[in-house]
Amino acid sequence: MDKIEIIGGTPLQGTVQISGAKNAALPLLAASILVQGAVDYTNIPDLMDIKSIKLLLQDLGATIESNGSQCRINASPINKIEAEYDLVRKMRASILVLGPLVARFGRARVSLPGGCAIGARPVDLHLKGLEALGAKISIEHGYIEATTDDKLIGNEFYFDIPTVTGTENLMMAATLAKGTTILRNCAREPEITALADALNKMGADVIGAGTAVIRINGIGTDSLNPSLKSASIHVIPDRIEAGTFMVAAAATNGDVLIQGAEPEHIGGIINKLRQSGASVEITQDGIRVKGAEKIKSTDIKTLPYPGFPTDMQAQFMVLMSIAEGNSVVHETIFENRFIHVNELQRMGADISISGNYAMVRGVKNLSGAQVMASDLRASASLVIAGLVAKGSTTINRVYHIDRGYESIEKKFLTLGANIRRC
Ligand code: UD1
Protein backbone atom coordinates (compact mmCIF):
# COMPACT_ATOMS: atom_id res chain seq x y z
CA MET A 1 0.00 0.00 0.00
CA ASP A 2 1.39 3.44 -0.97
CA LYS A 3 2.75 5.80 1.67
CA ILE A 4 3.79 9.42 1.46
CA GLU A 5 7.04 10.48 3.16
CA ILE A 6 7.72 14.12 3.91
CA ILE A 7 10.71 15.88 5.47
CA GLY A 8 9.13 19.06 6.78
CA GLY A 9 10.36 22.57 7.30
CA THR A 10 10.74 23.94 3.76
CA PRO A 11 8.66 27.06 2.97
CA LEU A 12 6.67 26.34 -0.23
CA GLN A 13 7.63 28.57 -3.16
CA GLY A 14 6.42 28.72 -6.76
CA THR A 15 3.33 28.19 -8.85
CA VAL A 16 0.72 25.45 -8.71
CA GLN A 17 -2.04 24.70 -11.22
CA ILE A 18 -5.46 23.73 -9.84
CA SER A 19 -7.28 20.76 -11.42
CA GLY A 20 -10.97 20.33 -12.24
CA ALA A 21 -13.27 19.94 -9.23
CA LYS A 22 -14.05 16.39 -8.13
CA ASN A 23 -17.35 17.43 -6.59
CA ALA A 24 -18.40 19.22 -9.78
CA ALA A 25 -17.25 16.45 -12.13
CA LEU A 26 -19.15 13.66 -10.31
CA PRO A 27 -22.69 15.07 -10.84
CA LEU A 28 -21.77 16.33 -14.32
CA LEU A 29 -20.76 12.80 -15.34
CA ALA A 30 -23.91 11.35 -13.75
CA ALA A 31 -26.00 13.85 -15.76
CA SER A 32 -24.91 12.09 -18.96
CA ILE A 33 -27.57 9.46 -18.09
CA LEU A 34 -30.24 12.04 -18.97
CA VAL A 35 -28.85 12.53 -22.49
CA GLN A 36 -29.59 10.67 -25.73
CA GLY A 37 -26.23 11.00 -27.49
CA ALA A 38 -22.71 11.87 -26.44
CA VAL A 39 -21.57 14.42 -23.88
CA ASP A 40 -18.02 15.78 -24.16
CA TYR A 41 -16.21 16.79 -20.99
CA THR A 42 -12.98 18.74 -20.49
CA ASN A 43 -10.94 19.44 -17.34
CA ILE A 44 -11.89 16.13 -15.70
CA PRO A 45 -9.44 15.48 -12.83
CA ASP A 46 -7.48 12.22 -12.71
CA LEU A 47 -8.82 10.81 -9.42
CA MET A 48 -10.01 7.51 -7.95
CA ASP A 49 -13.54 8.87 -7.41
CA ILE A 50 -13.75 9.79 -11.11
CA LYS A 51 -12.60 6.28 -12.06
CA SER A 52 -15.30 4.91 -9.72
CA ILE A 53 -18.16 6.84 -11.34
CA LYS A 54 -16.91 6.00 -14.84
CA LEU A 55 -16.84 2.30 -13.87
CA LEU A 56 -20.37 2.60 -12.55
CA LEU A 57 -21.63 4.29 -15.74
CA GLN A 58 -19.90 1.62 -17.85
CA ASP A 59 -21.43 -1.11 -15.73
CA LEU A 60 -24.85 0.40 -16.48
CA GLY A 61 -24.05 0.16 -20.22
CA ALA A 62 -22.67 3.61 -21.12
CA THR A 63 -19.70 3.86 -23.48
CA ILE A 64 -16.81 6.05 -22.34
CA GLU A 65 -13.79 7.26 -24.29
CA SER A 66 -11.19 8.95 -22.09
CA ASN A 67 -8.15 10.92 -23.21
CA GLY A 68 -6.25 12.65 -20.39
CA SER A 69 -8.53 15.25 -18.83
CA GLN A 70 -11.12 14.85 -21.60
CA CYS A 71 -13.80 12.25 -21.95
CA ARG A 72 -16.86 11.47 -24.04
CA ILE A 73 -19.76 9.59 -22.51
CA ASN A 74 -22.59 8.11 -24.48
CA ALA A 75 -25.28 6.89 -22.11
CA SER A 76 -27.81 6.04 -24.86
CA PRO A 77 -26.99 2.30 -24.68
CA ILE A 78 -27.65 2.08 -20.92
CA ASN A 79 -29.72 -1.05 -20.36
CA LYS A 80 -29.24 -1.69 -16.66
CA ILE A 81 -30.86 0.32 -13.85
CA GLU A 82 -28.99 -1.18 -10.91
CA ALA A 83 -25.96 0.42 -9.21
CA GLU A 84 -24.36 -2.50 -7.41
CA TYR A 85 -23.07 -2.61 -3.85
CA ASP A 86 -19.45 -3.20 -4.86
CA LEU A 87 -19.40 0.01 -6.91
CA VAL A 88 -21.43 2.19 -4.51
CA ARG A 89 -19.51 1.17 -1.37
CA LYS A 90 -16.31 2.61 -2.88
CA MET A 91 -17.88 6.03 -3.25
CA ARG A 92 -20.99 7.45 -1.57
CA ALA A 93 -21.47 9.98 -4.38
CA SER A 94 -22.61 7.03 -6.55
CA ILE A 95 -26.06 7.94 -5.17
CA LEU A 96 -25.97 10.67 -7.87
CA VAL A 97 -27.11 8.13 -10.48
CA LEU A 98 -30.39 7.53 -8.62
CA GLY A 99 -32.23 10.68 -9.77
CA PRO A 100 -31.14 10.48 -13.43
CA LEU A 101 -31.92 6.73 -13.67
CA VAL A 102 -35.44 6.99 -12.25
CA ALA A 103 -36.14 10.07 -14.38
CA ARG A 104 -35.10 8.32 -17.60
CA PHE A 105 -36.24 4.73 -17.02
CA GLY A 106 -38.99 5.14 -14.39
CA ARG A 107 -37.05 2.61 -12.32
CA ALA A 108 -33.77 2.48 -10.43
CA ARG A 109 -32.10 0.18 -7.94
CA VAL A 110 -29.13 1.71 -6.14
CA SER A 111 -27.24 0.16 -3.25
CA LEU A 112 -27.86 2.19 -0.09
CA PRO A 113 -24.55 3.91 0.78
CA GLY A 114 -23.32 2.86 4.22
CA GLY A 115 -21.87 5.07 6.94
CA CYS A 116 -18.44 6.54 6.39
CA ALA A 117 -15.54 7.76 8.49
CA ILE A 118 -16.98 11.25 8.91
CA GLY A 119 -20.43 10.24 10.11
CA ALA A 120 -23.75 8.58 9.35
CA ARG A 121 -24.48 10.69 6.22
CA PRO A 122 -28.09 9.68 5.52
CA VAL A 123 -29.76 10.04 2.09
CA ASP A 124 -33.30 10.42 3.45
CA LEU A 125 -33.75 13.85 1.81
CA HIS A 126 -32.80 12.48 -1.63
CA LEU A 127 -35.49 9.84 -1.17
CA LYS A 128 -38.18 12.17 0.24
CA GLY A 129 -37.53 14.53 -2.66
CA LEU A 130 -37.97 11.77 -5.24
CA GLU A 131 -41.16 10.68 -3.45
CA ALA A 132 -42.45 14.26 -3.77
CA LEU A 133 -41.89 13.88 -7.54
CA GLY A 134 -44.08 10.78 -7.52
CA ALA A 135 -41.53 7.98 -7.17
CA LYS A 136 -42.38 5.02 -4.94
CA ILE A 137 -39.40 4.25 -2.74
CA SER A 138 -38.60 1.13 -0.80
CA ILE A 139 -35.47 -0.29 0.78
CA GLU A 140 -35.03 -3.99 0.01
CA HIS A 141 -31.96 -6.11 0.77
CA GLY A 142 -29.74 -3.04 1.18
CA TYR A 143 -30.91 -1.47 -2.07
CA ILE A 144 -32.98 1.65 -2.69
CA GLU A 145 -35.73 0.78 -5.15
CA ALA A 146 -37.39 3.72 -6.87
CA THR A 147 -40.21 3.31 -9.38
CA THR A 148 -42.77 5.49 -11.13
CA ASP A 149 -45.89 4.44 -13.04
CA ASP A 150 -44.99 6.76 -15.89
CA LYS A 151 -42.87 9.90 -15.59
CA LEU A 152 -41.86 11.85 -12.53
CA ILE A 153 -44.29 14.72 -11.87
CA GLY A 154 -43.06 18.22 -10.98
CA ASN A 155 -43.82 19.31 -7.41
CA GLU A 156 -42.58 21.56 -4.60
CA PHE A 157 -40.03 20.17 -2.16
CA TYR A 158 -38.36 21.72 0.89
CA PHE A 159 -34.99 20.34 2.04
CA ASP A 160 -34.91 20.22 5.88
CA ILE A 161 -31.12 20.63 5.58
CA PRO A 162 -29.37 22.04 2.52
CA THR A 163 -27.75 18.97 0.99
CA VAL A 164 -25.31 19.23 -1.91
CA THR A 165 -25.75 15.86 -3.62
CA GLY A 166 -29.44 15.84 -2.59
CA THR A 167 -30.03 19.13 -4.42
CA GLU A 168 -28.10 17.78 -7.43
CA ASN A 169 -30.02 14.50 -7.52
CA LEU A 170 -33.41 16.25 -7.40
CA MET A 171 -32.40 18.92 -9.90
CA MET A 172 -31.32 16.25 -12.41
CA ALA A 173 -34.43 14.12 -11.84
CA ALA A 174 -36.76 17.09 -12.28
CA THR A 175 -35.34 18.03 -15.71
CA LEU A 176 -37.20 15.13 -17.36
CA ALA A 177 -40.34 15.37 -15.18
CA LYS A 178 -43.78 16.43 -16.31
CA GLY A 179 -44.36 20.01 -15.13
CA THR A 180 -42.52 22.38 -12.85
CA THR A 181 -40.53 21.52 -9.74
CA ILE A 182 -39.63 24.09 -7.11
CA LEU A 183 -36.89 23.09 -4.68
CA ARG A 184 -36.53 25.19 -1.53
CA ASN A 185 -33.70 25.50 1.01
CA CYS A 186 -31.32 24.17 -1.63
CA ALA A 187 -27.57 23.97 -1.16
CA ARG A 188 -25.86 26.88 -2.95
CA GLU A 189 -22.40 25.47 -3.66
CA PRO A 190 -20.68 26.50 -6.93
CA GLU A 191 -20.83 22.84 -8.03
CA ILE A 192 -24.63 23.12 -8.06
CA THR A 193 -24.54 26.21 -10.27
CA ALA A 194 -22.07 24.38 -12.55
CA LEU A 195 -24.48 21.44 -12.81
CA ALA A 196 -27.45 23.72 -13.59
CA ASP A 197 -25.43 25.50 -16.30
CA ALA A 198 -24.53 22.14 -17.83
CA LEU A 199 -28.13 20.86 -17.69
CA ASN A 200 -29.30 24.05 -19.41
CA LYS A 201 -26.67 23.53 -22.14
CA MET A 202 -28.16 20.06 -22.55
CA GLY A 203 -31.59 21.59 -23.15
CA ALA A 204 -33.05 21.61 -19.62
CA ASP A 205 -34.72 24.63 -18.05
CA VAL A 206 -33.22 25.23 -14.59
CA ILE A 207 -33.49 28.66 -12.96
CA GLY A 208 -32.11 29.93 -9.64
CA ALA A 209 -29.18 27.56 -8.97
CA GLY A 210 -26.80 29.23 -6.52
CA THR A 211 -29.79 30.55 -4.52
CA ALA A 212 -31.93 28.69 -1.99
CA VAL A 213 -34.83 28.28 -4.46
CA ILE A 214 -34.37 26.39 -7.72
CA ARG A 215 -37.13 26.09 -10.31
CA ILE A 216 -36.95 23.36 -12.92
CA ASN A 217 -39.41 23.34 -15.80
CA GLY A 218 -39.41 19.64 -16.71
CA ILE A 219 -39.39 18.72 -20.39
CA GLY A 220 -41.58 15.64 -19.75
CA THR A 221 -44.65 17.74 -20.59
CA ASP A 222 -43.56 18.26 -24.20
CA SER A 223 -42.19 14.87 -25.04
CA LEU A 224 -43.27 11.23 -24.74
CA ASN A 225 -39.70 9.99 -24.23
CA PRO A 226 -37.99 13.03 -22.77
CA SER A 227 -34.22 13.24 -22.82
CA LEU A 228 -31.60 15.94 -22.82
CA LYS A 229 -29.27 16.53 -25.76
CA SER A 230 -25.53 16.36 -26.46
CA ALA A 231 -23.35 19.17 -25.15
CA SER A 232 -19.75 20.09 -24.33
CA ILE A 233 -19.07 20.64 -20.64
CA HIS A 234 -15.99 22.16 -18.99
CA VAL A 235 -15.49 21.29 -15.30
CA ILE A 236 -14.96 24.23 -12.92
CA PRO A 237 -11.74 24.42 -10.83
CA ASP A 238 -11.53 22.60 -7.52
CA ARG A 239 -11.99 25.16 -4.73
CA ILE A 240 -11.02 22.67 -2.04
CA GLU A 241 -7.77 21.73 -3.78
CA ALA A 242 -7.06 25.47 -4.16
CA GLY A 243 -7.83 26.07 -0.47
CA THR A 244 -5.57 23.18 0.55
CA PHE A 245 -2.58 24.66 -1.32
CA MET A 246 -3.37 28.12 0.07
CA VAL A 247 -3.35 26.86 3.66
CA ALA A 248 -0.17 24.85 2.99
CA ALA A 249 1.51 28.02 1.67
CA ALA A 250 0.46 29.96 4.78
CA ALA A 251 1.40 27.18 7.22
CA THR A 252 4.93 26.76 5.80
CA ASN A 253 5.49 30.55 5.68
CA GLY A 254 5.78 30.16 1.91
CA ASP A 255 4.96 32.26 -1.15
CA VAL A 256 2.78 30.44 -3.67
CA LEU A 257 0.84 31.52 -6.75
CA ILE A 258 -2.29 29.41 -7.17
CA GLN A 259 -3.35 29.35 -10.81
CA GLY A 260 -6.66 28.38 -12.33
CA ALA A 261 -8.76 28.77 -9.14
CA GLU A 262 -11.90 30.91 -9.00
CA PRO A 263 -11.51 33.51 -6.19
CA GLU A 264 -15.31 34.00 -6.10
CA HIS A 265 -15.68 30.40 -4.90
CA ILE A 266 -13.24 30.64 -1.99
CA GLY A 267 -14.23 33.82 -0.20
CA GLY A 268 -14.70 32.02 3.13
CA ILE A 269 -11.20 30.54 2.98
CA ILE A 270 -9.55 33.79 1.85
CA ASN A 271 -11.24 35.66 4.71
CA LYS A 272 -9.97 33.24 7.36
CA LEU A 273 -6.44 33.10 5.90
CA ARG A 274 -6.23 36.89 6.03
CA GLN A 275 -7.49 36.87 9.64
CA SER A 276 -4.68 34.43 10.45
CA GLY A 277 -2.15 36.99 9.18
CA ALA A 278 -1.39 35.53 5.73
CA SER A 279 -1.33 37.85 2.74
CA VAL A 280 -3.78 36.80 0.00
CA GLU A 281 -3.56 38.81 -3.19
CA ILE A 282 -5.87 38.25 -6.14
CA THR A 283 -3.97 39.07 -9.32
CA GLN A 284 -4.40 38.59 -13.08
CA ASP A 285 -2.06 35.57 -12.85
CA GLY A 286 -3.78 33.85 -9.95
CA ILE A 287 -4.11 33.96 -6.18
CA ARG A 288 -0.84 34.69 -4.39
CA VAL A 289 -0.57 33.53 -0.78
CA LYS A 290 2.32 34.60 1.41
CA GLY A 291 2.65 33.24 4.91
CA ALA A 292 3.23 35.38 7.99
CA GLU A 293 6.12 34.98 10.42
CA LYS A 294 3.58 34.87 13.27
CA ILE A 295 0.30 33.07 12.62
CA LYS A 296 -2.66 34.56 14.53
CA SER A 297 -5.21 32.32 16.22
CA THR A 298 -8.52 32.31 14.31
CA ASP A 299 -11.87 30.69 15.14
CA ILE A 300 -13.75 28.88 12.39
CA LYS A 301 -17.26 27.52 12.09
CA THR A 302 -18.10 25.27 9.15
CA LEU A 303 -21.29 26.19 7.31
CA PRO A 304 -23.04 25.46 4.03
CA TYR A 305 -21.73 27.59 1.14
CA PRO A 306 -20.91 30.49 1.11
CA GLY A 307 -19.74 29.81 4.68
CA PHE A 308 -16.43 28.19 5.57
CA PRO A 309 -16.42 24.70 3.96
CA THR A 310 -16.34 21.58 6.13
CA ASP A 311 -14.00 20.13 3.49
CA MET A 312 -11.35 22.70 4.58
CA GLN A 313 -11.77 22.30 8.35
CA ALA A 314 -9.03 19.68 8.88
CA GLN A 315 -6.46 21.57 6.79
CA PHE A 316 -7.17 24.89 8.55
CA MET A 317 -6.86 23.21 11.92
CA VAL A 318 -3.20 22.42 11.12
CA LEU A 319 -2.56 26.13 10.54
CA MET A 320 -4.25 26.94 13.86
CA SER A 321 -2.20 24.27 15.65
CA ILE A 322 0.97 26.36 15.04
CA ALA A 323 -0.71 29.78 15.60
CA GLU A 324 -0.03 32.04 18.57
CA GLY A 325 -2.86 31.52 21.07
CA ASN A 326 -6.07 29.50 21.12
CA SER A 327 -8.58 28.89 18.33
CA VAL A 328 -12.01 27.28 18.41
CA VAL A 329 -13.05 25.09 15.50
CA HIS A 330 -16.80 24.44 15.35
CA GLU A 331 -17.89 21.69 12.95
CA THR A 332 -21.60 22.02 12.18
CA ILE A 333 -22.01 19.86 9.04
CA PHE A 334 -20.77 16.39 10.00
CA GLU A 335 -20.91 14.91 13.48
CA ASN A 336 -17.68 12.92 13.38
CA ARG A 337 -15.23 15.01 11.46
CA PHE A 338 -12.38 15.31 13.95
CA ILE A 339 -10.66 11.96 13.26
CA HIS A 340 -7.53 13.82 12.13
CA VAL A 341 -7.14 15.26 15.66
CA ASN A 342 -5.66 12.05 17.11
CA GLU A 343 -3.06 11.94 14.37
CA LEU A 344 -2.23 15.66 14.74
CA GLN A 345 -1.79 15.10 18.49
CA ARG A 346 0.77 12.40 17.65
CA MET A 347 2.66 15.13 15.81
CA GLY A 348 2.65 17.39 18.88
CA ALA A 349 -0.50 19.46 18.28
CA ASP A 350 -2.41 20.50 21.42
CA ILE A 351 -6.09 19.98 20.60
CA SER A 352 -8.99 18.89 22.77
CA ILE A 353 -12.46 17.99 21.55
CA SER A 354 -15.81 18.58 23.17
CA GLY A 355 -18.74 17.45 21.03
CA ASN A 356 -18.48 19.23 17.72
CA TYR A 357 -16.02 21.84 19.05
CA ALA A 358 -12.24 21.54 18.98
CA MET A 359 -10.07 23.80 21.13
CA VAL A 360 -6.71 24.26 19.42
CA ARG A 361 -3.90 25.66 21.57
CA GLY A 362 -1.11 26.81 19.30
CA VAL A 363 2.31 25.17 19.75
CA LYS A 364 5.70 26.35 18.44
CA ASN A 365 6.43 23.28 16.30
CA LEU A 366 4.93 20.05 15.11
CA SER A 367 7.22 17.02 14.98
CA GLY A 368 7.27 14.39 12.25
CA ALA A 369 5.68 11.02 13.03
CA GLN A 370 4.09 7.93 11.48
CA VAL A 371 0.42 8.75 10.92
CA MET A 372 -2.64 7.16 9.34
CA ALA A 373 -4.94 8.78 6.76
CA SER A 374 -8.60 8.14 7.63
CA ASP A 375 -10.62 10.11 5.07
CA LEU A 376 -9.95 12.37 2.14
CA ARG A 377 -9.66 15.79 3.77
CA ALA A 378 -8.10 14.42 6.97
CA SER A 379 -5.34 13.02 4.74
CA ALA A 380 -4.76 16.45 3.20
CA SER A 381 -4.40 17.91 6.68
CA LEU A 382 -1.72 15.32 7.52
CA VAL A 383 0.22 16.26 4.39
CA ILE A 384 0.19 19.93 5.46
CA ALA A 385 1.20 18.91 9.00
CA GLY A 386 4.08 16.88 7.52
CA LEU A 387 5.22 19.87 5.43
CA VAL A 388 5.27 22.04 8.58
CA ALA A 389 6.74 19.52 11.03
CA LYS A 390 10.35 19.15 12.07
CA GLY A 391 11.75 15.84 10.80
CA SER A 392 10.20 13.02 8.86
CA THR A 393 6.48 12.18 8.58
CA THR A 394 5.14 9.02 6.98
CA ILE A 395 1.47 9.00 6.02
CA ASN A 396 -0.04 5.54 5.67
CA ARG A 397 -3.19 4.59 3.72
CA VAL A 398 -2.81 7.38 1.17
CA TYR A 399 -5.44 5.80 -1.10
CA HIS A 400 -7.83 8.16 0.70
CA ILE A 401 -5.98 11.15 -0.71
CA ASP A 402 -5.95 9.72 -4.25
CA ARG A 403 -9.74 9.80 -4.18
CA GLY A 404 -9.73 13.58 -4.34
CA TYR A 405 -6.32 15.17 -5.02
CA GLU A 406 -4.64 14.85 -8.42
CA SER A 407 -0.86 14.18 -8.19
CA ILE A 408 -0.68 15.81 -4.78
CA GLU A 409 2.93 14.86 -4.07
CA LYS A 410 4.06 15.98 -7.56
CA LYS A 411 2.38 19.36 -7.10
CA PHE A 412 4.00 19.87 -3.68
CA LEU A 413 7.35 18.70 -5.12
CA THR A 414 7.26 21.49 -7.73
CA LEU A 415 6.73 23.92 -4.83
CA GLY A 416 10.02 22.76 -3.31
CA ALA A 417 8.66 20.34 -0.72
CA ASN A 418 10.73 17.32 0.29
CA ILE A 419 7.99 14.77 -0.39
CA ARG A 420 7.86 11.36 -2.05
CA ARG A 421 5.49 8.47 -2.53
CA CYS A 422 6.89 5.08 -1.63
C1 UD1 B 1 -21.06 16.95 -0.39
C2 UD1 B 1 -19.64 16.86 -0.86
C3 UD1 B 1 -18.70 16.70 0.34
C4 UD1 B 1 -18.93 17.80 1.37
C5 UD1 B 1 -20.41 17.92 1.72
C6 UD1 B 1 -20.71 19.13 2.59
C7 UD1 B 1 -19.89 15.85 -3.05
C8 UD1 B 1 -19.70 14.66 -3.91
N1 UD1 B 1 -19.54 15.73 -1.76
O1 UD1 B 1 -21.39 15.72 0.26
O2 UD1 B 1 -17.35 16.75 -0.14
O3 UD1 B 1 -18.21 17.51 2.54
O4 UD1 B 1 -21.21 18.05 0.52
O5 UD1 B 1 -20.28 20.29 1.98
O6 UD1 B 1 -20.31 16.89 -3.51
N2 UD1 B 1 -28.05 15.11 5.15
C9 UD1 B 1 -29.20 14.54 5.67
N3 UD1 B 1 -30.02 13.86 4.82
C10 UD1 B 1 -29.74 13.72 3.49
C11 UD1 B 1 -28.59 14.32 2.98
C12 UD1 B 1 -27.75 15.02 3.84
O7 UD1 B 1 -29.47 14.63 6.86
O8 UD1 B 1 -30.53 13.09 2.78
C13 UD1 B 1 -27.15 15.89 6.06
C14 UD1 B 1 -25.75 15.26 6.17
O9 UD1 B 1 -25.71 14.25 7.14
C15 UD1 B 1 -24.93 16.47 6.55
C16 UD1 B 1 -25.61 17.61 5.79
O10 UD1 B 1 -26.91 17.14 5.45
O11 UD1 B 1 -25.05 16.73 7.92
C17 UD1 B 1 -24.92 18.05 4.53
O12 UD1 B 1 -24.55 16.91 3.77
P1 UD1 B 1 -24.57 16.91 2.19
O13 UD1 B 1 -24.52 18.32 1.66
O14 UD1 B 1 -25.65 16.04 1.70
O15 UD1 B 1 -23.20 16.19 1.84
P2 UD1 B 1 -22.91 15.35 0.54
O16 UD1 B 1 -23.76 15.85 -0.57
O17 UD1 B 1 -22.93 13.89 0.87
Side-chain angles (χ1 to χ4, degrees), residues 19-20 25 28-29 38-47 50-51 54 58 63-74 231-235 406:
S19 301
L28 289 171
L29 295 174
V39 184
D40 288 311
Y41 297 92
T42 48
N43 206 30
I44 297 278
D46 183 13
L47 303 170
I50 298 297
K51 290 193 176 81
K54 283 183 178 172
Q58 273 171 327
T63 58
I64 304 187
E65 296 159 47
S66 297
N67 178 13
S69 63
Q70 302 181 8
C71 83
R72 167 174 285 189
I73 303 189
N74 189 338
S232 296
I233 309 297
H234 188 76
V235 178
E406 184 173 278

Side-chain angles (χ1 to χ4, degrees), residues 77-126:
I78 285 186
N79 54 8
K80 177 175 170 184
I81 50 91
E82 177 172 312
E84 290 177 13
Y85 174 73
D86 268 346
L87 293 166
V88 176
R89 78 182 166 84
K90 292 200 181 109
M91 185 185 62
R92 294 183 47 82
S94 306
I95 189 76
L96 284 165
V97 301
L98 177 64
L101 281 177
V102 72
R104 174 165 158 198
F105 297 102
R107 240 156 42 88
R109 197 163 182 267
V110 174
S111 176
L112 189 62
C116 70
I118 62 172
R121 298 185 82 171
V123 290
D124 56 318
L125 298 171
H126 301 233

Side-chain angles (χ1 to χ4, degrees), residues 345-377:
Q345 282 167 338
R346 300 190 62 253
M347 297 179 73
D350 184 355
I351 306 171
S352 49
I353 299 173
S354 173
N356 55 355
Y357 289 88
M359 168 65 89
V360 188
R361 296 173 201 85
V363 294
K364 276 218 155 54
N365 294 303
L366 297 180
S367 64
Q370 289 258 1
V371 288
M372 189 83 80
S374 55
D375 73 64
L376 173 54
R377 307 304 170 184

Side-chain angles (χ1 to χ4, degrees), residues 22-24 26-27 49 91-93 95-96 118-127 159-168 187 189 191 239-240 303-305 309-311 332-335 337 376-377 403:
K22 167 179 91 72
N23 286 355
L26 292 172
D49 275 10
M91 185 185 62
R92 294 183 47 82
I95 189 76
L96 284 165
I118 62 172
R121 298 185 82 171
V123 290
D124 56 318
L125 298 171
H126 301 233
L127 305 187
F159 290 100
D160 290 343
I161 303 173
T163 150
V164 177
T165 47
T167 303
E168 292 164 348
E189 271 66 2
E191 292 75 22
R239 63 197 168 94
I240 305 300
L303 287 169
Y305 188 85
T310 175
D311 283 354
T332 75
I333 308 291
F334 293 113
E335 76 272 22
R337 210 171 195 181
L376 173 54
R377 307 304 170 184
R403 283 191 37 226

Side-chain angles (χ1 to χ4, degrees), residues 9 13 51 87 96 122 162 197 225 264 269 279 292 328 342 351 367 376 388 393 405 407:
Q13 305 272 350
K51 290 193 176 81
L87 293 166
L96 284 165
D197 291 345
N225 281 316
E264 279 286 314
I269 303 166
S279 143
V328 177
N342 277 334
I351 306 171
S367 64
L376 173 54
V388 167
T393 295
Y405 288 89
S407 314

